[in-house]
């Protein structure tokens, strides 16, 4: 009602004006409110449409420019760039710096809506170059929006450094516009490029500073929402007290929950809540949170959480069930994300339209040049899609290997508990003893299968990170053997040797140049590089500590000419340098 009365008042005032004074007054009134009340500005401008054909050319162009500005601020999706191109051509010759900036910005918005990201970025760049930031009349509000949308485009293209630079300029423009909330929001969005760089320390610093600024500005809701990104990081770092503080703040002050404490949208929050509950030993509450994720359409996170919870509950069957469901959901998620990203890349680079533009310029530039343009653009499209496919394929491989390691660790924990329970029985209950022995064998078989998959992935794919994870897997596996009467088999030694050959070829060549792969000296060197203590080495090889010390001294003398044991690992690290890191 307030907006309607405002518009009626404006129209009545305008009706009292005559001729060119009327449209000038109307355009001035619309421009005055276009940033704060774009819907009201659009209503004023729409009221002028019946008489727009009678406007002088300058008034007509201004009316068209302001109307497009108001439509853009009201989230209109542009389907054509024809009017925007007319306006840029006109205002490049006749306009003020603000009008030139608006015209190029609107052309960029049209290109973005039409799926032409490179041309949109070019227009946005021309828009900011047109602005006169030294003038008191500079429209810093629009400049803030332009830099913000440039940052969005850079983020979609995985360009964190460009995104960071655009966000800094957006923040500075908002400060010059005295828009405190917009400046803090631009600063808070720095979390995104730091996320792409996996720089969690910087993410935490940005979150903390953004929260402080919001509180200083008296905006408790935004201050509470700002902490959300920190919760997952704190859980990963096992800083549970701080995580709980932010969980409570987010639930109490963000305004994202209804009166019953239910989240309005964005159910992934329950994954972090479930992780916290699980860490606190509240497994039933954790299960409840993870099951909510299934209903929210987030099965991958749900199954991962359920897998962890049932692992702590020692329910091997449920662990295997949710391990399979997690793997299936992971594959489905990968395919979905892959398709979405390929579609997004294709949408951002609409080369069909570029080809049409090239053909239209054929008569001006020559057939051979436009043919080259088409080939180059098509090549860029193919390369862009290939890069995204490779990136997503790499992410999937990494997630697969992490899922295998996570499942293996869970089963390993169950195995240790079952072994402890079996030893505790000490033959007191033969039937229960047999049952425990069968469960132990079943878990050992499952762990062995997972271990084979880990080294198989490393050997088949040749991926450095997978190979390093395979080495870690064998390191954990050999710790299991570092107890009396449980030595590793020759097959186990062969697999760990293969992992070292793939992951650290320089080390493998150095040792095998002097010793056979299966020799004790080679095995001592491998265990030494896996940080095994002398006691663990002795238990693994079923020898005494003096025997290990003698082998280390002999290897150090043969490989490096030093007749002592203590410096062997240091010499190996010095020789291999960063190749080992």
């Amino acid at each position: 009602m307030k907006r309607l009365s405002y518009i009626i008042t404006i129209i009545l005032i305008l009706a009292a004006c005559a001729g060119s004074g009327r449209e000038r007054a109307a355009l001035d009134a619309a421009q005055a409110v276009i940033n704060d009340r774009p819907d009201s500005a659009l209503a004023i401008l729409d009221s002028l449409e019946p008489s727009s054909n009678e406007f002088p050319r300058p008034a007509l162009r201004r009316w068209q420019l302001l109307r497009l500005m108001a439509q853009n601020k009201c989230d209109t999706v542009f389907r054509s760039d024809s009017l925007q191109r007319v306006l840029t051509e006109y205002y490049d010759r006749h306009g003020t710096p603000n009008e030139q900036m608006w015209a190029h910005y609107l052309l960029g918005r049209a290109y973005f809506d039409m799926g032409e990201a490179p041309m949109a970025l070019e227009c946005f760049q021309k828009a900011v170059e047109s602005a006169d930031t030294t003038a008191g009349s500079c429209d810093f509000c629009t400049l803030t929006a332009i830099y913000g949308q440039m940052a969005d485009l850079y983020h979609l293209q995985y360009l964190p450094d460009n995104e960071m630079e655009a966000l800094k300029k957006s923040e500075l423009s908002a400060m010059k516009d005295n828009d405190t909330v917009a400046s803090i929001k631009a600063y808070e969005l720095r979390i995104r490029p730091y996320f792409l760089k996996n720089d969690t320390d910087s993410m935490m610093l940005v979150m903390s500073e953004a929260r402080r600024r919001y509180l200083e500005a008296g905006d408790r809701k935004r201050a509470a929402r700002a902490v959300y990104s920190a919760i997952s990081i704190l859980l990963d770092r096992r800083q549970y007290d701080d995580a709980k503080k932010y969980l409570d703040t987010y639930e109490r002050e963000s305004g994202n929950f209804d009166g019953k404490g239910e989240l309005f949208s964005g159910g992934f929050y329950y994954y972090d809540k479930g992780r916290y509950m699980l860490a606190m030993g509240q497994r039933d509450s954790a299960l409840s949170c993870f099951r909510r994720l299934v209903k929210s359409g987030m099965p991958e996170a749900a199954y991962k959480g359920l897998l962890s919870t049932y692992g702590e509950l020692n329910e091997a069957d449920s662990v295997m069930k949710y391990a399979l469901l997690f793997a299936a959901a992971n594959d489905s998620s990968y395919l979905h994300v892959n398709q979405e990203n390929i579609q997004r890349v294709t949408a951002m680079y609409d080369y069909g339209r570029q080809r049409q533009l090239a053909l239209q310029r054929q008569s001006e530039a020559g057939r051979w040049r436009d043919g080259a343009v088409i080939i180059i653009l098509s090549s860029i499209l193919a390369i862009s899609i290939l890069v995204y496919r490779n990136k997503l394929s790499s992410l999937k491989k990494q997630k697969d290997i992490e899922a295998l390691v996570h499942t293996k660790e869970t089963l390993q924990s169950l195995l240790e508990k079952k072994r402890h329970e079996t030893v505790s029985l000490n033959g007191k209950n033969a039937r229960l003893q047999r049952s425990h022995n069968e469960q132990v064998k079943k878990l050992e078989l499952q762990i062995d299968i997972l271990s084979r998959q880990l080294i198989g992935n490393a050997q088949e794919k040749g991926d450095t990170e997978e190979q390093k994870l395979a080495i870690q897997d064998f390191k954990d596996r050999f710790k299991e053997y570092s107890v009396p009467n449980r030595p590793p088999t020759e097959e186990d030694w062969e697999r760990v040797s293969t992992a070292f050959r793939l992951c650290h070829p320089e080390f493998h060549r150095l040792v095998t140049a002097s010793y056979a792969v299966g020799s004790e000296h080679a095995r001592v060197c491998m265990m030494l590089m896996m940080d095994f203590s002398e006691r663990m080495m002795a238990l693994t090889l079923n020898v005494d500590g003096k025997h290990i010390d003698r082998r280390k001294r002999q290897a150090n003398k043969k490989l490096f000419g030093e007749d002592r044991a203590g410096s062997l690992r240091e010499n190996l690290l010095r020789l291999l340098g960063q190749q080992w890191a």
Side-chain angles (χ1 to χ4, degrees):
M1 181 62 69
K2 183 177 180 181
R3 173 176 171 270
L4 180 60
S5 62
Y6 173 83
I7 295 170
I8 292 173
T9 301
I10 291 291
I11 293 174
L12 289 174
I13 293 172
L14 297 176
C17 300
S20 61
R22 175 181 178 275
E23 69 249 9
R24 189 183 307 112
L27 295 174
D28 289 344
Q31 184 171 332
V33 299
I34 200 166
N35 286 329
D36 298 327
R37 294 191 295 276
D39 52 346
S40 299
L42 185 58
I44 295 171
L45 294 164
D46 284 344
S47 73
L48 297 176
E49 185 172 10
S51 58
S52 60
N53 291 332
E54 301 173 5
F55 290 173
R57 191 181 182 198
L60 176 63
R61 293 290 181 252
R62 187 184 177 200
W63 173 74
Q64 291 169 331
L65 180 68
L66 292 174
R67 193 164 183 241
L68 284 177
M69 281 286 288
Q71 288 174 342
N72 178 62
K73 290 179 179 292
C74 292
D75 298 323
T76 299
V77 176
F78 296 123
R79 304 298 183 188
S80 171
D81 63 347
S82 56
L83 179 56
Q84 286 88 337
R85 285 190 287 111
V86 169
L87 292 172
T88 54
E89 184 179 350
Y90 176 81
Y91 281 107
D92 278 346
R93 295 197 308 269
H94 305 292
T96 65
N98 276 344
E99 289 169 336
Q100 292 172 5
M101 175 178 66
W102 295 342
H104 284 287
Y105 170 52
L106 290 169
L107 182 57
R109 288 293 303 135
Y111 285 140
F112 179 81
D113 289 346
M114 295 163 65
E116 298 174 10
M119 296 182 72
L121 276 172
E122 183 180 348
C123 290
F124 291 156
Q125 191 61 47
K126 287 181 179 178
V128 299
E129 289 171 359
S130 299
D132 182 2
T133 56
T134 62
S137 59
C138 180
D139 182 6
F140 284 106
C141 179
T142 299
L143 201 57
T144 300
I146 297 172
Y147 281 123
Q149 289 177 33
M150 291 173 72
D152 290 342
L153 280 172
Y154 288 133
H155 185 75
L156 290 173
Q157 296 176 81
Y158 297 98
L159 298 171
D161 292 333
N162 301 73
E163 180 185 5
M164 181 66 76
E165 187 64 26
L167 287 171
K168 288 178 179 179
K169 291 178 179 178
S170 180
E171 179 188 0
L172 180 61
S173 298
M175 291 171 65
K176 290 183 177 180
D177 192 42
N178 296 317
D179 190 338
T180 303
V181 171
S183 68
I184 301 173
K185 185 62 181 177
Y187 176 82
E188 183 187 359
L189 286 174
R190 294 188 190 184
I191 289 174
R192 298 189 313 187
Y194 283 131
F195 174 79
L196 292 180
K197 292 183 173 185
N198 197 30
D199 187 350
T200 55
D201 288 338
S202 295
M203 289 174 67
M204 290 294 292
L205 288 173
V206 169
M207 181 283 301
S208 180
E209 176 62 14
R211 174 168 167 74
R212 184 193 67 77
R213 292 187 190 182
Y214 279 132
L215 289 173
E216 192 175 77
D219 195 335
R220 298 192 67 84
K221 283 187 177 180
R222 284 192 172 89
R225 292 168 188 168
V227 307
Y228 180 72
S229 60
I231 296 172
S232 180
I233 297 172
L234 292 169
L235 290 171
D236 289 340
R237 295 178 177 180
R238 302 179 186 274
Q239 295 175 239
Y240 298 121
D241 289 343
D242 290 336
K244 178 62 166 63
K245 180 180 71 174
Y246 285 147
L247 282 166
D248 290 344
T249 298
Y250 187 72
E251 291 180 358
R252 186 175 60 250
E253 301 177 12
S254 69
N256 290 341
F257 295 80
D258 62 21
K260 297 180 181 179
E262 297 292 328
L263 195 63
F264 288 125
S265 62
F268 194 81
Y269 167 79
Y270 290 114
Y271 178 70
D272 290 330
K273 182 76 175 286
R275 288 178 64 197
Y276 172 76
M277 293 298 182
L278 186 60
M280 295 297 101
Q282 300 176 33
R283 293 162 184 162
D284 289 341
S285 297
L287 287 172
S288 176
C289 287
F290 294 139
R291 285 175 178 141
R292 286 187 183 191
L293 291 168
V294 179
K295 298 177 182 177
S296 300
M298 301 177 185
E300 186 178 4
Y303 297 144
K304 185 176 181 181
L306 291 167
L307 171 62
S308 300
T309 307
Y310 282 115
E312 292 201 5
L313 290 170
N314 301 330
E315 296 186 19
D317 291 340
S318 293
V319 167
M320 290 304 296
K321 170 187 173 182
Y322 286 108
L324 293 173
L325 286 172
F326 174 54
N330 187 29
D331 287 342
S332 176
S333 175
Y334 163 72
L335 291 172
H336 178 68
V337 170
N338 188 21
Q339 291 168 357
E340 279 192 345
N341 277 277
I342 295 301
Q343 290 169 2
R344 185 181 70 195
V345 174
T346 305
M348 289 174 66
Y349 297 85
D350 187 350
Y351 291 100
R353 177 174 169 78
Q354 299 293 337
R355 184 175 182 277
Q356 291 176 2
L357 292 174
L359 290 172
Q360 290 172 7
R361 293 193 299 267
Q362 217 170 38
S363 59
E364 302 171 8
R367 189 180 302 275
W368 65 271
R369 186 187 304 172
D370 287 323
V373 169
I374 295 168
I375 292 172
I376 291 171
L377 292 172
S378 300
S379 300
I380 293 173
L381 173 61
I383 292 170
S384 298
I385 292 177
L386 182 62
V387 168
Y388 269 87
R389 284 189 181 276
N390 288 341
K391 184 177 182 67
L392 293 169
S393 177
S394 176
L395 289 173
K396 181 185 183 299
K397 287 190 296 181
Q398 185 66 23
K399 291 184 74 174
D400 285 345
I401 199 74
E402 289 174 357
L404 285 173
V405 171
H406 178 71
T407 304
K408 177 189 168 296
E409 289 174 349
T410 303
L411 293 176
Q412 187 73 47
S413 177
L414 286 174
L415 177 62
E416 293 301 323
K417 291 178 181 178
K418 288 297 179 185
R419 282 177 179 163
H420 180 73
E421 292 171 1
T422 303
V423 172
S424 299
L425 286 172
N426 197 23
K428 296 176 183 177
N429 187 322
R431 183 182 63 79
L432 192 57
Q433 185 91 39
R434 283 195 303 273
S435 174
H436 274 61
N437 287 335
E438 289 174 0
Q439 291 181 45
V440 167
K441 290 179 180 179
K442 180 180 177 181
L443 288 169
E444 287 177 339
L445 177 61
Q446 292 169 345
I447 291 170
D448 186 64
I449 291 171
L450 291 172
S451 297
R452 288 171 184 270
Q453 286 180 277
L454 283 167
I455 191 60
N457 282 339
Q459 192 166 7
E460 178 183 351
K461 304 298 183 183
D463 186 279
T464 302
E465 291 305 317
E466 290 187 10
Q467 292 161 9
K468 288 183 179 180
L469 284 169
I471 291 288
Q472 183 61 43
D473 173 69
F474 275 104
K475 180 179 175 182
D476 295 339
R477 182 178 177 80
F478 271 52
K479 286 180 181 179
E480 169 193 339
Y481 292 127
S482 299
V483 294
N485 303 319
R486 291 189 59 79
T489 65
E490 287 300 316
E491 185 180 1
D492 293 324
W493 279 114
E494 182 181 349
R495 287 204 296 270
V496 76
S497 178
T498 300
F500 266 86
R501 177 174 59 79
L502 291 169
C503 193
H504 304 296
E506 292 299 324
F507 171 84
H508 190 268
R509 281 194 290 271
L510 171 71
V511 175
T512 55
S514 301
Y515 297 106
V517 174
S519 71
E520 279 191 353
H521 295 88
R523 291 174 179 179
V524 165
C525 286
M526 284 191 289
M527 288 190 290
L528 190 64
M529 298 309 289
M530 289 192 288
D531 291 327
F532 276 39
S533 67
E534 198 163 284
R535 177 177 174 277
M536 289 172 66
M537 292 188 221
L539 289 170
T540 302
L541 293 176
N542 199 19
V543 296
D544 59 28
K546 291 181 179 179
H547 184 88
I548 295 296
D549 189 75
R550 186 162 55 252
R551 289 288 183 259
K552 287 167 62 179
R553 180 172 52 80
Q554 291 168 350
N556 203 15
K557 184 175 182 180
K558 189 165 188 177
L559 296 174
F560 302 104
E562 293 188 17
D563 191 14
R564 59 196 184 101
S567 61
L568 175 57
R569 188 171 191 275
E570 181 181 345
N571 288 334
L572 286 168
L573 286 172
R574 186 186 305 111
L575 178 71
L576 298 173
Q578 292 188 354
Q579 187 269 339
W580 184 263

